[in-house]
Amino acid sequence: MIRDRGKIKWQPAHFMPEHRAMLNRITIDDKKQKKPQLDAHEFEEIGYIVMESLKCTIPIKVTIWKDGFFMFRTGIVDKVDMLINIYS
């Protein structure tokens, strides 16, 4: 009877911690997405939605791009800081 190790046989061996860290970093870098570029019309539309949430306490879903990944948040806007540079 032949005993097969299944998938374990084909998994790479990680002998060194640096090797594992490098493979993890490559995997994460492959999943990153480019930062979307918004035009003036899209900024205006976002501003309108934010102000409506502030005025009428309507919950909104916000998609945030950070370091190559998108995060999703849902909530009600309670304050708007007009001094933040949105084009940076």
Side-chain angles (χ1 to χ4, degrees), residues 26-85:
I26 289 171
T27 302
I28 290 171
D29 288 344
D30 284 344
K31 293 180 182 180
K32 286 187 176 183
Q33 298 179 4
K34 289 178 18 178
K35 183 177 182 180
Q37 298 297 317
L38 302 177
D39 62 13
H41 176 69
E42 291 169 321
F43 273 116
E44 185 178 326
E45 187 176 339
I46 290 169
Y48 175 75
I49 293 169
V50 167
M51 293 313 255
E52 283 296 309
S53 176
L54 178 66
K55 186 171 28 172
C56 301
T57 62
I58 300 170
I60 59 173
K61 181 178 180 183
V62 179
T63 304
I64 303 166
W65 182 90
K66 184 175 182 180
D67 297 327
F69 295 99
F70 291 100
M71 298 181 289
F72 304 97
R73 301 287 188 264
T74 304
I76 297 172
V77 178
D78 65 348
K79 180 175 91 171
V80 176
D81 185 357
M82 300 301 280
L83 298 177
I84 293 178
N85 183 3

